[in-house]
Amino acid sequence: MKKVPWINIGKKCKILGKKAKNLGCDVCTPISYENGNSDKFPDVKVSVEGREICLHTWELVEDSLKSFHSCVEICPGVKFFEWRGYENDSNTILFEKGDTRILVDSGHFHLLGSLLKSLDDEGILLDSIKAGLYTHCHPDHFDSADFLQQAGVKIGLSKKEEDYLRGEGGLLFRFFGADVPEVKNEIPLEKGKLKLGKIELSIFSTPGHSPGSVCIYWDEKKVLCAGDVVFPDGAFGRCDFPGGSYQILLDSFEIFDDLEIDYLLSGHGYAIIGKENVVKSIKESRNNLRAVIFSPW
């Protein structure tokens, strides 16, 4: 099991402060300092909602409480957690309607504390999330998926991306010194409609940045989670990773022609709001992508 220094499964853990004699909450076994002058907790396990969670040093606990995600409510039912840290990580999107909550792209595992803190600030607990869906399996989007699954969140990605993860896609994790997440694909994301609780989504196959990449569209809200297909400011997903193709990515841009998008939420960068702004931004990115493909240099 992956280890995290802080987590809010079921109930909010109350961090009592660095000078406190213990770290505890009403669901955690209190942990005492080894001695009064120590800044570290012993490496022990505690039970949180019936699951064993390992707690490391106090410094890690303290770091995990710092949030580099800026949460904006894009429209009712859609929260956009924009990553603003100095390391590379993906944005995260939360869809909610009634008691149904769906998370899209949870990012790097070692930066998960930041996302959990931001969710907690919004009053959102991990065990209230029905599903974690992933646009693709690159580490900056998918690295924390196995931990979410251990916490009870159902995980979904496309079957083609799952196969890619088991093959050459896993090379990216090893390149960055990370383990390939061991995840059961409980919600295969295939082209067409997907109903989860009270939310109905449309899934579009958009390979190019990765072979099994998808875009996730909430028809009711006209919100598109574009992953790393397209970015603001005329940018687009890089295709020099294993399994990437600029020509295939350009072909994937065709899905945008038939969609009415009021909110474009990419895997990196800011949210693009307003249909005219979305159309303009996608057009600029497509033109720049064509220039790369057909450049004589």
Side-chain angles (χ1 to χ4, degrees):
M1 174 183 287
K2 283 186 173 179
K3 300 177 180 180
V4 290
W6 177 83
I7 188 172
N8 60 349
I9 298 179
K11 297 182 181 179
K12 181 179 179 180
C13 288
K14 298 176 181 178
I15 305 302
L16 302 180
K18 193 168 183 178
K19 294 182 179 179
K21 292 185 178 179
N22 60 58
L23 165 68
C25 73
D26 51 358
V27 294
C28 294
T29 303
I31 306 169
S32 298
Y33 282 115
E34 291 179 285
N35 58 69
N37 297 322
S38 175
D39 282 342
K40 296 184 178 181
F41 288 110
D43 188 15
V44 299
K45 291 183 178 180
V46 296
S47 178
V48 181
E49 292 290 307
R51 300 180 178 90
E52 278 196 337
I53 305 295
C54 291
L55 297 177
H56 300 311
T57 64
W58 173 261
E59 286 81 359
L60 285 174
V61 174
E62 191 174 46
D63 285 345
S64 74
L65 293 175
K66 299 174 183 176
S67 178
F68 297 99
H69 288 82
S70 175
C71 178
V72 176
E73 186 174 49
I74 298 298
C75 63
V78 180
K79 288 184 170 67
F80 181 60
F81 294 85
E82 182 183 348
W83 172 251
R84 294 187 176 181
Y86 58 90
E87 293 186 58
N88 178 47
D89 200 22
S90 71
N91 297 326
T92 297
I93 298 97
L94 180 79
F95 293 153
E96 50 186 343
K97 184 176 182 180
D99 59 355
T100 301
R101 283 174 169 158
I102 299 170
L103 205 65
V104 179
D105 290 347
S106 57
H108 271 300
F109 171 72
H110 72 280
L111 300 172
L112 182 60
S114 169
L115 177 60
L116 293 178
K117 176 63 167 58
S118 292
L119 288 169
D120 190 66
D121 289 344
E122 297 297 317
I124 299 165
L125 301 176
L126 197 57
D127 70 348
S128 72
I129 297 173
K130 182 178 184 67
L133 307 182
Y134 292 86
T135 58
H136 61 294
C137 70
H138 286 165
D140 57 333
H141 292 250
F142 190 73
D143 187 33
S144 56
D146 54 349
F147 180 80
L148 264 64
Q149 190 162 70
Q150 290 166 4
V153 179
K154 292 187 176 181
I155 300 301
L157 70 163
S158 75
K159 181 62 169 64
K160 191 169 185 178
E161 194 72 357
E162 181 184 8
D163 293 340
Y164 171 66
L165 177 67
R166 308 301 174 218
E168 61 180 348
L171 295 174
L172 279 177
F173 285 88
R174 299 183 185 96
F175 178 79
F176 291 109
D179 294 327
V180 179
E182 296 182 6
V183 173
K184 180 181 179 181
N185 189 6
E186 299 170 283
I187 309 173
L189 303 184
E190 304 306 331
K191 183 178 179 180
K193 298 293 184 181
L194 174 66
K195 187 172 178 60
L196 295 171
K198 297 178 181 178
I199 297 177
E200 185 173 69
L201 305 171
S202 294
I203 307 299
F204 295 91
S205 175
T206 51
H209 177 65
S210 70
S213 172
V214 298
C215 285
I216 300 169
Y217 183 67
W218 190 359
D219 306 57
E220 179 183 333
K221 303 292 184 178
K222 299 179 182 178
V223 174
L224 183 74
C225 299
D228 286 2
V229 174
V230 62
F231 302 127
D233 300 320
F236 48 85
R238 59 187 295 180
C239 299
D240 55 346
F241 288 137
S245 166
Y246 285 107
Q247 182 59 61
I248 292 176
L249 181 64
L250 180 61
D251 295 340
S252 291
F253 267 65
E254 293 179 4
I255 72 150
F256 302 133
D257 298 335
D258 299 323
L259 283 178
E260 188 173 351
I261 307 169
D262 287 346
Y263 308 95
L264 179 62
L265 309 181
S266 299
H268 305 276
Y270 55 87
I272 301 175
I273 299 175
K275 184 176 180 180
E276 290 184 2
N277 293 329
V278 170
V279 170
K280 180 181 178 181
S281 181
I282 291 174
K283 181 179 180 180
E284 184 180 3
S285 295
R286 179 157 24 193
N287 288 340
N288 289 340
L289 178 54
R290 283 177 176 147
V292 168
I293 294 172
F294 301 112
S295 170
W297 297 281

